């Protein structure tokens, strides 16, 4: 048993769960919803074991480092965090239909990592050799995962509210949308997920600043990554305040949540893949 | 007069409004993108070349302060509006919250009961006093000890929990202002600087990163040794400097610093940030006269003529730790005695036979080269940093209480009826209403149980 086999099992489980969730929505068979959730748990356990195994493998190679050291490891950790948040919300609110809109994020991350990212275990460069790395990455990714959840729920909100507006006079939405939670519940879940994500992002930014100060003597230097994390923070802060203002709940809140997650993904991937590319190409 | 009044009122309302907060946050988010797309604080030529900007574009963007936008007047003004907005909101809302917490409404009349979405009415047996006693005990056990008010033959109970969670929002808001304050303190009384120290040497001043002015330290820092280690495969594993702080020539502090492990002394912190070769290396060669077979070891600095037997000399010209994956190598040339440099050639430490193939009078092998290093240190003084951390701590505590705690209040009125005792109770939470409804439904059962026994 090694970590790459376990990561394969994880990817397959997330794919299977995603498919079963979609079939569940179309067939409205409750047993399928339960089955999909069960597959999620299997995948989550495999994901957990895989990360633990990779940690051990790095240790056996003589590198004392948590498995959060490169893009590959961060992506599989992101998938893990998404499942963690999703399963916690499932335990608390038991809204099975949401799985169909959250699992694609986790599966997408896993398949991208498996297919095109470098999975070799590399030792950490001196700048990253710190316990702060673990605290910083952990808090940020729990935050990102909660935002992924909020984004999935917001997409459901927009689909459902769009349909309800069209068929206001007809009977309540049936078909695919029959198992969707009500717009009120979706709106509330969106808010609840961001309520988890926002303090975690705040902690992530603070631990990042504390680490930067400890390693370089500057807690804030407006580099693109830092700035984008602040942009994400501003967007969700706007979201939280919009809840208290008339005219900003519902659809606008859902859109803000989706924009917020787009900015989150840009902060996570875009800054490294696009902005640095722009600079390095421009420089040569 | 009234017109002026209304203007200040409007201004005040503008700065208190939630809409302003939302718009400011979104504007801050949008404008912040600029500085991540345009690299900040580059020299003029770089903008013109790297971004292919015309001079007029450059001038326009420079006038808009896009090249140092996070310190531009307009960005700082936006931050200023954000801060004023926070202050005004707090001034407007805080007194009302303090009043709610300090002087709660103890007597709930019918008007207040009508506003509750969680309420219940029960007719109980016994007397007003006995019902009162039962409920006081019940509330004390299940929720919080109530305040009892007796008025016109009726009894009113009021109990609350988590009143202080109302302040979570204001703690979070003021934490942002505290972080701003810490940043200002750091900007005014702190500095960022750097210094390079050659192994064995000491410094008593550092160089400001902005302006390149020397800043006297008031003490000396010496670097006794610098060390760099590599993983197999050549990635740097760790670099470290043995630093000694000297006051009037006396050693007062000694520490080996690494990346992620700095040295602090008198409010200044020294961070390991870079390293590099200091001065020319000292070389050691073994030279064999191919004709006589005589072998001689020579040692000396770069550019010096190292005399060989018979009037010739060897001149080391350059060194590389790893030359095209062949390991340490030196570029040298020979002077056959006419004080002219011959054609330069490369010799390797790991391949002693390599130079035999070159032919000529001498075969040269590199025995080793000693390169001394300088250590590159970032030096920072930031007296505001603790204020920033205080702000961060308050932000975490404040937002946790603002998000996860709720101010829950319960009111009960007990009044005699013609038959039995009328009990009315209701409650409200300022957050997480669905959760409170569940809680309230449980409490209803407890009330029923207590009053029916």
């Amino acid at each position: 048993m090694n970590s790459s086999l376990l990561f394969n099992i994880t990817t397959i489980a997330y794919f299977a769960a995603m498919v079963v969730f979609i079939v569940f929505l179309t067939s409205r068979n409750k047993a399928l919803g339960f089955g999909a959730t069960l597959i999620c748990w299997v995948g989550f356990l495999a994901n957990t074991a895989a990360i633990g195994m990779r940690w051990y493998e790095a240790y056996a190679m003589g590198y004392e480092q948590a498995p959060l050291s490169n893009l590959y490891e961060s992506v599989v950790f992101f998938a893990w965090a998404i499942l963690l948040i999703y399963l916690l919300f499932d335990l608390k609110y038991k809204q099975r239909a949401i799985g169909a809109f959250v699992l694609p994020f986790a599966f997408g991350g896993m398949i991208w990592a498996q297919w095109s990212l470098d999975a070799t275990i590399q030792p950490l460069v001196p700048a990253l050799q710190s316990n702060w790395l673990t605290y910083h990455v952990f808090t940020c990714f729990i935050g990102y995962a909660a935002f992924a959840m909020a984004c999935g729920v917001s997409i459901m909100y927009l689909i459902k509210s769009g349909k309800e507006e069209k068929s206001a006079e007809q009977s309540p939405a049936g078909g695919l949308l029959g198992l969707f939670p009500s717009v009120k519940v979706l709106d509330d879940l969106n808010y609840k997920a961001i309520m988890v994500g926002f303090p975690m992002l705040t902690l992530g930014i603070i631990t990042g600043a504390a680490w930067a100060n400890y390693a370089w003597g500057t807690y804030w230097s407006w580099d693109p990554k830092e700035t984008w994390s602040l942009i994400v923070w501003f967007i969700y802060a706007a979201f939280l305040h919009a809840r208290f203002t008339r005219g900003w709940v519902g659809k606008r809140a859902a859109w803000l949540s989706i924009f917020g997650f787009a900015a989150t993904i840009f902060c996570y991937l875009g800054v490294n893949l696009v902005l640095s590319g722009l600079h390095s190409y421009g420089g040569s | 007069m009234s017109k002026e009044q209304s203007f200040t009122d409007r201004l005040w309302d503008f700065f208190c409004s939630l809409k302003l907060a939302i718009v400011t946050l979104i504007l801050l988010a949008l404008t912040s993108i600029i500085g991540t797309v345009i690299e900040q604080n580059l020299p003029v030529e770089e903008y013109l070349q790297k971004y292919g900007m015309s001079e007029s574009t450059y001038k326009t963007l420079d006038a808009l302060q896009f090249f140092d936008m996070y310190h531009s007047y307009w960005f700082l003004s936006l931050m200023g509006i954000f801060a004023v907005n926070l202050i005004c909101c707090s001034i407007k809302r805080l007194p009302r919250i303090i009043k709610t917490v300090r002087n709660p409404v103890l007597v709930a009349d019918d008007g207040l009961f009508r506003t509750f979405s969680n309420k219940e009415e029960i007719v109980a047996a016994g007397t007003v006093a006995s019902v009162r006693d039962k409920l006081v005990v019940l509330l004390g056990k299940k929720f919080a000890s109530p305040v009892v008010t007796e008025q016109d033959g009726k009894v009113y109970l009021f109990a609350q929990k988590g009143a202080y969670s109302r302040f979570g929002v204001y703690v979070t808001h003021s934490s942002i202002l505290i972080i701003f304050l810490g940043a200002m303190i750091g900007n005014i009384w702190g500095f960022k600087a750097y210094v390079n120290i050659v192994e064995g040497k000491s410094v008593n001043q550092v160089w400001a990163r902005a302006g390149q002015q020397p800043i006297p330290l008031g003490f000396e820092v010496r670097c006794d040794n610098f060390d760099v280690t590599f993983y197999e495969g050549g990635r740097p594993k760790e670099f470290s400097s043995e630093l000694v702080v000297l006051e009037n020539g006396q050693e007062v502090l000694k520490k080996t610093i690494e990346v992620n492990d700095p040295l602090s002394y008198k409010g200044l912190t020294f961070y390991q940030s870079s390293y590099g070769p200091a001065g020319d290396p000292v070389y050691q060669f073994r030279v064999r006269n191919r004709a006589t077979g005589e072998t001689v070891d020579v040692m000396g600095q770069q550019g010096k003529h190292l005399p060989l037997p018979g009037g010739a000399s060897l001149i080391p010209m350059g060194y590389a730790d790893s030359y095209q994956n062949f390991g340490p190598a030196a570029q040298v040339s020979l002077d056959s005695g006419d004080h002219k440099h011959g054609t330069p050639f490369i010799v390797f430490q790991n391949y002693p036979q390599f130079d035999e193939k070159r032919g000529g009078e001498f075969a040269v092998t590199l025995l080793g080269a000693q390169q001394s290093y300088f250590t590159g240190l970032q030096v920072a003084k930031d007296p505001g940093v603790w204020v920033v951390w205080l702000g961060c701590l308050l932000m975490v505590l404040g937002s946790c209480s603002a998000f996860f705690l709720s101010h829950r209040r319960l009111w009960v009125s007990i009044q005699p009826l013609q038959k039995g005792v009328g009990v009315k109770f209701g409650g409200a939470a300022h957050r997480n209403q669905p959760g409170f409804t569940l809680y309230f439904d449980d409490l209803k059962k407890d009330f029923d149980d207590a009053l029916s026994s």
Side-chain angles (χ1 to χ4, degrees), chain B residues 246-288:
Chain B
L246 302 153
E247 289 266 21
N248 305 318
Q250 299 291 308
E251 291 189 9
V252 290
L253 184 63
K254 219 171 174 168
K255 183 176 178 183
T256 303
I257 66 161
E258 297 177 344
V259 183
N260 276 312
D261 189 14
L263 171 140
S264 287
Y265 184 69
K266 284 196 171 169
L268 271 80
T269 312
F270 296 81
Y271 303 85
Q272 180 74 63
S273 82
S274 63
Y275 66 95
D280 294 329
V282 176
Y283 297 83
Q284 262 188 302
F285 297 100
R286 176 160 296 165
V287 183
R288 195 175 69 86

Side-chain angles (χ1 to χ4, degrees), chain B residues 283-287 296-298 347-349 365-369:
Chain B
Y283 297 83
Q284 262 188 302
F285 297 100
R286 176 160 296 165
V287 183
V296 58
D297 287 359
V298 291
V347 295
F348 295 94
Q349 188 173 342
T365 303
L366 175 65
L367 292 179

Side-chain angles (χ1 to χ4, degrees), chain B residues 21 73 87 96 126 142 150 159 162 212 215 235 297 316 341 358 374 383 445:
Chain B
Y73 287 111
I87 294 169
R96 216 164 55 207
K142 294 273 171 182
E150 310 214 358
Q212 264 105 65
I215 301 169
R235 285 159 74 99
D297 287 359
H341 288 209
R358 185 177 50 88
F374 71 82
K445 285 190 204 106

Side-chain angles (χ1 to χ4, degrees), chain B residues 145-211:
Chain B
S145 293
V147 182
V148 182
T149 315
E150 310 214 358
Q151 209 172 62
D152 309 328
K154 296 181 188 174
V155 175
Y156 299 92
L157 306 183
F158 169 76
Q160 62 176 351
K161 249 183 148 171
Y164 288 94
S165 70
R166 294 249 181 194
F167 295 108
V169 171
Y170 302 99
V171 172
T172 311
H173 286 177
S174 44
S175 76
I176 293 171
L177 299 172
I178 291 171
I179 291 172
F180 283 175
L181 184 73
M184 282 195 265
I185 293 174
N187 267 323
I188 297 169
W189 288 290
F191 61 80
K192 309 277 181 227
Y194 66 90
V195 66
N196 294 336
I197 313 177
V198 177
E199 282 178 292
K201 297 275 165 35
S202 59
V203 295
N204 57 15
Q205 59 182 24
V206 294
W207 301 89
R209 240 187 278 169

Side-chain angles (χ1 to χ4, degrees), chain A residues 122-124 126-127 129-130 195 199 202 210-211 213-215 217-219 222 227-228 231 234 237-238 240 242 244-245 275, chain B residues 18 22 25 28-29 32-33 36 39 70 183 192 231 235-238 259-262 271 380 382 388-389 392 395 403:
Chain A
Q122 294 265 348
L124 285 175
Q129 290 166 17
S130 167
M195 232 166 65
T202 308
W211 183 15
N213 187 63
Y214 184 65
T218 342
Y219 51 83
W222 292 107
T227 309
W228 270 96
I231 290 170
F234 282 141
L240 290 170
F244 308 118
T245 318
L275 287 186
Chain B
L18 207 51
I22 296 168
L25 284 167
L28 280 169
S32 293
I33 297 173
T36 67
E39 222 177 316
Y70 301 110
K192 309 277 181 227
Y231 289 109
R235 285 159 74 99
K237 186 174 184 181
E238 193 53 85
V259 183
N260 276 312
D261 189 14
Y271 303 85
D382 191 344
V388 172
W389 296 148
C392 289
M395 181 179 284
F403 285 134

